[in-house]
Amino acid sequence: MNVRQRAIAALVAVFLIGCAAGGGAAYLFLGKTRASENSRASRLAKLAEVLHLSQQQEAQLREIMAESRRRFDAARAETAPKFQAIRMETDKKIFAILNEEQKKKFEAFLKEMESRKKEHDHPR
């Protein structure tokens, strides 16, 4: 491999590692947003127990958490198009540096990543 090919390979590797790290960090940072209602209810019940909350305080805690969840969901919906635009721009730049064979492989990679995302978002 010549220097240019190594540089391109390194750029693609860094991009892919960045995508994986960013996705993992977002998953952790957002508190595993796909948690079930039962899991949320269980955590709230445990917190209420640990804090020895009255029934009134527990009801207030549930409302506080529900409002927070609504605000997080709204923020995610607001920023999603910005992230999508960045991903599309990045993919376009990567395509510009690839040869035809690499473009086909990259397209296949992107389709696989999209398939995995759909599986993760909508488990069977």
Side-chain angles (χ1 to χ4, degrees):
M1 241 193 292
N2 66 31
V3 173
R4 185 169 192 263
Q5 289 173 327
R6 282 194 299 238
I8 291 170
L11 177 65
V12 170
V14 167
F15 171 75
L16 296 176
I17 290 168
C19 286
Y27 180 74
L28 293 173
F29 178 75
L30 295 174
K32 301 178 184 178
T33 58
R34 304 287 183 240
S36 70
E37 285 299 319
N38 288 339
S39 179
R40 283 187 193 121
S42 174
R43 287 191 304 255
L44 283 174
K46 179 149 178 81
L47 182 58
E49 180 183 329
V50 167
L51 298 175
H52 303 289
L53 299 179
S54 69
Q55 286 182 345
Q56 181 183 10
Q57 287 175 311
E58 187 172 346
Q60 290 171 324
L61 174 66
R62 288 182 190 285
E63 182 51 40
I64 290 167
M65 296 307 290
E67 173 62 22
S68 177
R69 188 168 38 258
R70 287 188 292 270
R71 292 178 65 201
F72 275 117
D73 290 345
R76 265 186 231 103
E78 185 179 305
T79 59
K82 293 176 185 177
F83 283 103
Q84 180 64 22
I86 292 168
R87 278 191 292 275
M88 290 174 66
E89 181 182 329
T90 301
D91 291 349
K92 185 177 178 180
K93 287 179 180 179
I94 291 172
F95 271 106
I97 66 168
L98 302 177
N99 65 34
E100 290 306 312
E101 182 181 336
Q102 292 168 328
K103 286 178 183 178
K104 290 177 186 174
K105 290 179 180 178
F106 189 58
E107 284 174 345
F109 172 82
L110 292 176
K111 285 179 184 176
E112 175 65 23
M113 295 302 290
E114 183 63 26
S115 174
R116 287 184 183 185
K117 182 181 183 304
K118 285 180 183 176
E119 270 183 34
H120 182 265
D121 290 346
H122 305 287
R124 297 172 200 186

PDB file of all heavy atoms in Angstrom, residues 21-33:
ATOM      1  N   ALA A  21     -17.648   4.627  18.664  1.00  0.00           N
ATOM      2  CA  ALA A  21     -17.469   5.252  19.975  1.00  0.00           C
ATOM      3  C   ALA A  21     -18.583   6.264  20.250  1.00  0.00           C
ATOM      4  O   ALA A  21     -19.131   6.312  21.354  1.00  0.00           O
ATOM      5  CB  ALA A  21     -16.103   5.937  20.057  1.00  0.00           C
ATOM      6  N   GLY A  22     -18.926   7.053  19.248  1.00  0.00           N
ATOM      7  CA  GLY A  22     -19.995   8.035  19.415  1.00  0.00           C
ATOM      8  C   GLY A  22     -21.328   7.376  19.699  1.00  0.00           C
ATOM      9  O   GLY A  22     -22.084   7.811  20.565  1.00  0.00           O
ATOM     10  N   GLY A  23     -21.609   6.312  18.971  1.00  0.00           N
ATOM     11  CA  GLY A  23     -22.852   5.582  19.206  1.00  0.00           C
ATOM     12  C   GLY A  23     -22.900   4.984  20.597  1.00  0.00           C
ATOM     13  O   GLY A  23     -23.916   5.061  21.289  1.00  0.00           O
ATOM     14  N   GLY A  24     -21.794   4.392  21.013  1.00  0.00           N
ATOM     15  CA  GLY A  24     -21.739   3.809  22.355  1.00  0.00           C
ATOM     16  C   GLY A  24     -21.861   4.858  23.439  1.00  0.00           C
ATOM     17  O   GLY A  24     -22.588   4.678  24.419  1.00  0.00           O
ATOM     18  N   ALA A  25     -21.175   5.970  23.251  1.00  0.00           N
ATOM     19  CA  ALA A  25     -21.248   7.038  24.246  1.00  0.00           C
ATOM     20  C   ALA A  25     -22.652   7.631  24.309  1.00  0.00           C
ATOM     21  O   ALA A  25     -23.173   7.892  25.392  1.00  0.00           O
ATOM     22  CB  ALA A  25     -20.235   8.130  23.919  1.00  0.00           C
ATOM     23  N   ALA A  26     -23.264   7.826  23.154  1.00  0.00           N
ATOM     24  CA  ALA A  26     -24.630   8.355  23.137  1.00  0.00           C
ATOM     25  C   ALA A  26     -25.584   7.396  23.844  1.00  0.00           C
ATOM     26  O   ALA A  26     -26.444   7.820  24.615  1.00  0.00           O
ATOM     27  CB  ALA A  26     -25.091   8.600  21.703  1.00  0.00           C
ATOM     28  N   TYR A  27     -25.401   6.107  23.595  1.00  0.00           N
ATOM     29  CA  TYR A  27     -26.245   5.097  24.243  1.00  0.00           C
ATOM     30  C   TYR A  27     -26.116   5.177  25.757  1.00  0.00           C
ATOM     31  O   TYR A  27     -27.106   5.194  26.480  1.00  0.00           O
ATOM     32  CB  TYR A  27     -25.841   3.717  23.734  1.00  0.00           C
ATOM     33  CG  TYR A  27     -26.639   2.576  24.317  1.00  0.00           C
ATOM     34  CD1 TYR A  27     -27.945   2.350  23.913  1.00  0.00           C
ATOM     35  CD2 TYR A  27     -26.070   1.726  25.250  1.00  0.00           C
ATOM     36  CE1 TYR A  27     -28.672   1.303  24.433  1.00  0.00           C
ATOM     37  CE2 TYR A  27     -26.791   0.669  25.777  1.00  0.00           C
ATOM     38  CZ  TYR A  27     -28.093   0.468  25.358  1.00  0.00           C
ATOM     39  OH  TYR A  27     -28.807  -0.577  25.880  1.00  0.00           O
ATOM     40  N   LEU A  28     -24.886   5.270  26.229  1.00  0.00           N
ATOM     41  CA  LEU A  28     -24.671   5.372  27.670  1.00  0.00           C
ATOM     42  C   LEU A  28     -25.138   6.715  28.220  1.00  0.00           C
ATOM     43  O   LEU A  28     -25.766   6.790  29.268  1.00  0.00           O
ATOM     44  CB  LEU A  28     -23.193   5.152  27.999  1.00  0.00           C
ATOM     45  CG  LEU A  28     -22.657   3.751  27.733  1.00  0.00           C
ATOM     46  CD1 LEU A  28     -21.142   3.725  27.934  1.00  0.00           C
ATOM     47  CD2 LEU A  28     -23.334   2.736  28.626  1.00  0.00           C
ATOM     48  N   PHE A  29     -24.821   7.787  27.506  1.00  0.00           N
ATOM     49  CA  PHE A  29     -25.169   9.121  27.967  1.00  0.00           C
ATOM     50  C   PHE A  29     -26.674   9.315  28.058  1.00  0.00           C
ATOM     51  O   PHE A  29     -27.176   9.944  28.975  1.00  0.00           O
ATOM     52  CB  PHE A  29     -24.566  10.176  27.037  1.00  0.00           C
ATOM     53  CG  PHE A  29     -24.909  11.575  27.419  1.00  0.00           C
ATOM     54  CD1 PHE A  29     -24.293  12.180  28.494  1.00  0.00           C
ATOM     55  CD2 PHE A  29     -25.859  12.286  26.715  1.00  0.00           C
ATOM     56  CE1 PHE A  29     -24.608  13.477  28.858  1.00  0.00           C
ATOM     57  CE2 PHE A  29     -26.184  13.580  27.063  1.00  0.00           C
ATOM     58  CZ  PHE A  29     -25.562  14.179  28.137  1.00  0.00           C
ATOM     59  N   LEU A  30     -27.393   8.786  27.097  1.00  0.00           N
ATOM     60  CA  LEU A  30     -28.843   8.969  27.078  1.00  0.00           C
ATOM     61  C   LEU A  30     -29.555   8.006  28.007  1.00  0.00           C
ATOM     62  O   LEU A  30     -30.776   7.986  28.075  1.00  0.00           O
ATOM     63  CB  LEU A  30     -29.376   8.817  25.653  1.00  0.00           C
ATOM     64  CG  LEU A  30     -28.883   9.887  24.681  1.00  0.00           C
ATOM     65  CD1 LEU A  30     -29.343   9.563  23.274  1.00  0.00           C
ATOM     66  CD2 LEU A  30     -29.365  11.262  25.097  1.00  0.00           C
ATOM     67  N   GLY A  31     -28.796   7.220  28.743  1.00  0.00           N
ATOM     68  CA  GLY A  31     -29.389   6.361  29.753  1.00  0.00           C
ATOM     69  C   GLY A  31     -30.179   5.211  29.185  1.00  0.00           C
ATOM     70  O   GLY A  31     -31.202   4.839  29.736  1.00  0.00           O
ATOM     71  N   LYS A  32     -29.695   4.678  28.064  1.00  0.00           N
ATOM     72  CA  LYS A  32     -30.370   3.530  27.462  1.00  0.00           C
ATOM     73  C   LYS A  32     -31.845   3.847  27.252  1.00  0.00           C
ATOM     74  O   LYS A  32     -32.731   3.261  27.864  1.00  0.00           O
ATOM     75  CB  LYS A  32     -30.175   2.279  28.301  1.00  0.00           C
ATOM     76  CG  LYS A  32     -28.719   1.905  28.474  1.00  0.00           C
ATOM     77  CD  LYS A  32     -28.554   0.691  29.344  1.00  0.00           C
ATOM     78  CE  LYS A  32     -27.087   0.426  29.566  1.00  0.00           C
ATOM     79  NZ  LYS A  32     -26.855  -0.693  30.440  1.00  0.00           N
ATOM     80  N   THR A  33     -32.097   4.777  26.363  1.00  0.00           N
ATOM     81  CA  THR A  33     -33.442   5.316  26.161  1.00  0.00           C
ATOM     82  C   THR A  33     -34.472   4.263  25.789  1.00  0.00           C
ATOM     83  O   THR A  33     -35.664   4.516  25.865  1.00  0.00           O
ATOM     84  CB  THR A  33     -33.429   6.394  25.072  1.00  0.00           C
ATOM     85  OG1 THR A  33     -32.932   5.826  23.870  1.00  0.00           O
ATOM     86  CG2 THR A  33     -32.595   7.575  25.507  1.00  0.00           C
TER      87      THR A  33
END
